[in-house]
Amino acid sequence: MNPVNLETIGSVLPEDADQALLIGRVWDPETGGPRVVAVSGDSVFDLYRLAGTVADLLELPEPAATVRSALANPALAERRWATSDVVNASLAGDGAHARLLAPVDLQVIKACGVTFVDSMVERVIEERCAGDAARAAEVRDLVGRALGGSLADLRPGSAEAAEAKRVLMAEGLWSQYLEVGIGPDPEVFTKAPVLSSVGLGADIGIPAFSSWNNPEPELVLIATSRGQVVGATLGNDVNLRDVEGRSALLLGKAKDNNASSALGPLIRLFDGSFTLEALREEEILLRVEGQDGYVLEGRNSVARISRPFEELVAATHGRHHQYPDGFALYTGTLFAPTQDRDVPGQGFTHKHGDVVTIRSRHLGALVNRVGPCEELHAWSFGLRELFNYLAKQRQEARA
């Protein structure tokens, strides 16, 4: 993989990094496995003596306070790397040096879909086109005229939403995407297997069977086994519009492929100066830069989400479903690209070599390059490898 160029480390960390409590995972070539780390200023601290996995760390009674305390105690937090070295190695795809991984490990990767009206309309268009990008402009105009923008202020599950459903059904325009967009129940699905997500600087994959696809810049909530949201990160919920548009029953094929889930750069833990409330107004910026000189920019304004975070979390976790190791929850995207890239009327689709940057003020920047799923590094480090690595580290620590 060719290196991804950014001017400074400050381009990756949050704007207020000096106040942020940042944790994640680093691949450590010296020990041959992942280490739980905290990033503070120009230093990356190994937290292995505190927790072997991020899931273990987040299950502590007060994870934020515990990490802050550990950073003042060399017996618990060992400074092992320079932040700039780790970030640079990550962006360069340098496997010989310590680099950032996706900042979760044992957590299940869940995702919510159709949580913004704008992207909901695009899903309707995908369905109406049956995955044919050439028909998108025509159908977009048809659906836009029928909806008249009247769905923007609807509260999902409300009496007004039920009336809108009745009218749309009468017009022959009702869709399964409108059902989860304004109906009583949100869409929640499993995005990716445990340990399969990629991190900062890694390639993200588009399979050969897709010819209409796009990035999905999203806020990702990090929750414990109790369903308590303790932090957040950025994510790219890579979307194959042609596959999902043919049938919602192909959601797994559209969403779960090699390197189709990117998370990072780090988890920002909630503490006194940063809370869930700060994220309700977060602006998530997207920039796609192609090797052909093409540039696409977009914005995901979290304030325009149609369902509150609490509703999405409650639909994911509760008496109906538990996650003993916690979960990461993609919260959906407002962004649905309609800007033409090549052929007029066919909108945007990825090309190999595209550099995708997803950035927000409080969470930093997640940067990845697009490549073919079939040619990327195969996912090989799974649960057995992780457990074997952790057992070996414990044995060596006792020796």
Side-chain angles (χ1 to χ4, degrees), residues 354-367:
D354 283 353
V355 174
V356 181
T357 301
I358 297 172
R359 180 191 310 278
S360 85
R361 174 189 173 193
H362 290 108
L363 300 174
L366 173 63
V367 187

Side-chain angles (χ1 to χ4, degrees), residues 116 280-284 299-305 334:
F116 292 83
R280 298 190 197 276
E281 302 293 327
E282 194 81 345
E283 294 284 315
I284 299 176
R299 180 183 300 267
N300 186 9
S301 300
V302 178
R304 294 173 63 184
I305 197 168
L334 171 68

Side-chain angles (χ1 to χ4, degrees), residues 96-110:
H97 294 87
R99 66 190 190 282
L100 288 171
L101 303 171
V104 299
D105 39 44
L106 300 182
Q107 294 87 349
V108 175
I109 311 301
K110 305 293 288 188

Side-chain angles (χ1 to χ4, degrees), residues 12-295:
V12 169
L13 297 183
E15 291 181 9
D16 58 344
D18 57 331
Q19 303 175 39
L21 188 55
L22 303 169
I23 65 166
R25 293 192 307 145
V26 162
W27 180 266
D28 177 20
E30 183 179 323
T31 61
R35 312 293 279 197
V36 181
V37 300
V39 175
S40 180
D42 62 357
S43 299
V44 178
F45 293 85
D46 190 338
L47 300 181
Y48 183 78
R49 296 186 184 93
L50 187 65
T53 66
V54 172
D56 288 330
L57 178 62
L58 298 184
E59 291 298 317
L60 296 173
E62 297 289 342
T66 302
V67 171
R68 285 206 183 277
S69 177
L71 288 173
N73 183 354
L76 293 176
E78 178 188 0
R79 184 194 183 282
R80 290 195 57 198
W81 304 281
T83 306
S84 58
D85 290 345
V86 172
V87 168
N88 290 337
S90 303
L91 294 174
D94 181 357
H97 294 87
R99 66 190 190 282
L100 288 171
L101 303 171
V104 299
D105 39 44
L106 300 182
Q107 294 87 349
V108 175
I109 311 301
K110 305 293 288 188
C112 296
V114 203
T115 54
F116 292 83
V117 169
D118 301 59
S119 60
M120 174 185 68
V121 172
E122 284 300 309
R123 299 291 89 77
V124 175
I125 291 166
E126 288 168 13
E127 183 182 49
R128 292 281 164 173
C129 291
D132 181 2
R135 296 184 55 216
E138 172 191 348
V139 177
R140 187 174 294 112
D141 182 62
L142 170 67
V143 174
R145 289 199 308 270
L147 298 181
S150 61
L151 295 182
D153 297 322
L154 282 184
R155 176 71 174 89
S158 67
E160 292 79 9
E163 174 61 15
K165 175 179 179 178
R166 185 191 69 78
V167 171
L168 290 164
M169 289 181 70
E171 293 292 328
L173 284 171
W174 187 250
S175 160
Q176 57 203 338
Y177 294 106
L178 289 167
E179 176 63 45
V180 295
I182 65 175
D185 299 310
E187 178 189 21
V188 183
F189 59 93
T190 299
K191 165 64 180 176
V194 170
L195 288 177
S196 69
S197 296
V198 299
L200 176 72
D203 283 349
I204 50 176
I206 300 294
F209 54 74
S210 175
S211 60
W212 188 22
N213 42 71
N214 62 261
E216 290 194 345
E218 301 190 22
L219 172 70
V220 181
L221 302 177
I222 307 299
T224 68
S225 62
R226 302 178 300 281
Q228 178 187 3
V229 180
V230 293
T233 191
L234 296 172
N236 188 347
D237 180 14
V238 180
N239 182 41
L240 310 184
R241 301 189 71 176
D242 47 357
V243 176
E244 186 178 348
R246 282 160 43 209
S247 170
L249 296 181
L250 293 173
L251 183 65
K253 185 180 181 72
K255 288 292 187 180
D256 182 11
N257 297 286
N258 187 25
S260 63
S261 170
L263 297 170
L266 298 155
I267 295 170
R268 183 166 182 175
L269 295 178
F270 296 145
D271 57 10
S273 61
F274 177 66
T275 67
L276 188 62
E277 291 303 313
L279 293 176
R280 298 190 197 276
E281 302 293 327
E282 194 81 345
E283 294 284 315
I284 299 176
L285 306 179
L286 171 74
R287 183 177 175 88
V288 179
E289 300 171 87
Q291 292 181 327
D292 55 357
Y294 177 87
V295 174

